[in-house]
Amino acid sequence: MNILDGKVIGREHRRQSAMRAEIYQQSTGLQVHLALLLVGDDAASQVYVRNKAKACEEAGIRSTIVRLSATASEDDVVNMVEQWNTDASVHGILVQLPLPRHINEERVILTIDPRKDVDGFHPVNVGRMMIGASCFIPCTPAGILELLRVGNVTTSGAHAVVIGRSNIVGKPIAALLAQKRPQGNATVTQCHTGTRNLHDYTRQADILVCAVGVANLITADHVKEGVVVIDVGMNRLTLDDGSSKLCGDVDFASVSPKASLITPVPGGVGPMTIAMLLSNTVDAAERMIA
Ligand SMILES: NC(=O)c1ccc[n+]([C@@H]2O[C@H](COP(=O)([O-])OP(=O)(O)OC[C@H]3O[C@@H](n4cnc5c(N)ncnc54)[C@H](OP(=O)(O)O)[C@@H]3O)[C@@H](O)[C@H]2O)c1
């Protein structure tokens, strides 16, 4: 079976976070606590925040959701984050993105105390990640590394091709795979909309990470036999009968027979992202008493 099952791997990871959260509570008398801020009424963001809170609850991690209206000011958002920065009972802070257009995301992210930045988006964590220092690694790239680890994929010496250069997935996973350490040491090629003849690069990939947001962009012609495929894409396709279905950036049906390992969508990277959020939150709590 060549499926890298994020549901199974993520569940095991969440179980470990739950055990660590329980040990933390027994030794400190405090419950690990994640504060989530949702601004506005974007339907997808509401689902993401609800799922994150539910996963916390299942792992014995306390979650607090604060919902601000779409008309909340930038200062309202910053004030909420500052309040959590100084609240010793809050270990992790997550501001659900995207924020409404009138709010400067960069200012909000800069406000988060880097020690509580469990999404790993604060420039202090991004910078520490780049130099290989201890930091919060953004949850999706962290989940990808975990999938590769559990799948016994040797990254050292491999040619990893990453499609996408967003700050939350493409850039960090490319940087992490190139780090000089056992779970990195890959030769990394990064592709994007400026790349000419994408398939010339993807066909060379031993490991192909797709973080694009274009349904079924990658087909069998784009990959070589034995490739390891990590499909980060989450695209909603409308079917002929009007219903919709979630699919990745990779045409699973044509690519999976050539792949040595492949993540499905749904059930691949998505569950890992939430699992890594929980472990980052427990890490934050543990580091505060270390
Ligand atoms: N499963 C999860 O937990 C999870 C987490 C995060 C994101 N996602 C999903 O992953 C996908 C990517 O997310 P993101 O936030 O990284 O997206 P993003 O910020 O929109 O970035 C997409 C990247 O793909 C590149 N790109 C777009 N079309 C391309 C093409 N035809 N050929 C080559 N490169 C192309 C863009 O290039 P340019 O830079 O040149 O524009 C950009 O760098 C989305 O479907 C998102 O929903 C899933």
Side-chain angles (χ1 to χ4, degrees):
M1 200 58 181
N2 67 347
I3 305 282
L4 261 179
D5 190 332
K7 275 195 282 189
V8 171
I9 299 168
R11 194 180 308 132
E12 170 57 20
H13 226 273
R14 295 208 312 259
R15 199 183 59 78
Q16 284 172 21
S17 292
M19 275 167 45
R20 289 169 57 208
E22 195 182 337
I23 291 167
Y24 178 87
Q25 190 162 359
Q26 280 168 5
S27 59
T28 64
L30 298 170
Q31 193 175 8
V32 178
H33 183 188
L34 174 66
L36 302 120
L37 183 56
L38 176 62
V39 188
D41 29 45
D42 177 72
S45 292
Q46 294 192 27
V47 173
Y48 295 147
V49 166
R50 215 179 308 131
N51 288 346
K52 288 168 188 176
K54 184 165 169 271
C56 283
E57 193 188 318
E58 285 167 6
I61 294 172
R62 179 180 160 202
S63 66
T64 298
I65 303 179
V66 167
R67 295 179 171 84
L68 297 179
S69 80
T71 56
S73 70
E74 192 173 299
D75 282 345
D76 291 337
V77 175
V78 164
N79 289 343
M80 191 66 248
V81 171
E82 281 175 343
Q83 204 174 306
W84 284 335
N85 281 344
T86 54
D87 182 341
S89 79
V90 171
H91 303 106
I93 299 172
L94 184 148
V95 178
Q96 185 65 42
L97 302 178
L99 290 168
R101 279 166 172 275
H102 65 280
I103 298 175
N104 180 341
E105 268 182 19
E106 197 182 332
R107 179 178 168 217
V108 173
I109 290 170
L110 275 172
T111 307
I112 299 172
D113 183 334
R115 293 167 302 178
K116 299 189 179 187
D117 170 39
V118 288
D119 252 343
F121 295 162
H122 191 288
V124 165
N125 281 311
V126 176
R128 291 181 65 83
M129 182 192 72
M130 289 305 291
I131 61 171
S134 120
C135 64
F136 290 110
I137 294 177
C139 302
T140 302
I144 294 172
L145 290 186
E146 185 59 12
L147 284 167
L148 294 173
R149 188 189 68 78
V150 176
N152 287 319
V153 177
T154 304
T155 55
S156 185
H159 184 188
V161 175
V162 175
I163 319 179
R165 57 179 163 189
S166 69
N167 289 339
I168 62 168
V169 193
K171 276 185 202 151
I173 191 61
L176 289 161
L177 286 168
Q179 295 272 354
K180 192 160 184 169
R181 58 179 192 144
Q183 255 219 296
N185 214 28
T187 301
V188 178
T189 300
Q190 190 149 32
C191 301
H192 40 72
T193 56
T195 302
R196 280 191 228 120
N197 302 326
L198 183 68
H199 56 266
D200 286 350
Y201 301 95
T202 56
R203 277 188 202 141
Q204 293 177 37
D206 301 311
I207 300 168
L208 179 63
V209 179
C210 302
V212 185
V214 176
N216 300 327
L217 175 74
I218 300 302
T219 59
D221 286 351
H222 288 85
V223 299
K224 68 177 182 187
E225 288 288 340
V227 62
V228 173
V229 179
I230 305 290
D231 189 355
V232 185
M234 285 206 300
N235 312 295
R236 196 146 283 285
L237 266 190
T238 305
L239 304 176
D240 290 343
D241 64 1
S243 63
S244 71
K245 126 177 188 214
L246 197 63
C247 75
D249 295 335
V250 177
D251 175 29
F252 188 87
S254 73
V255 172
S256 59
K258 286 177 91 173
S260 59
L261 282 172
I262 185 167
T263 58
V265 178
V269 175
M272 295 306 296
T273 298
I274 292 200
M276 302 319 286
L277 172 66
L278 300 190
S279 65
N280 275 357
T281 305
V282 181
D283 284 348
E286 289 174 349
R287 284 178 201 169
M288 271 171 217
I289 54 166

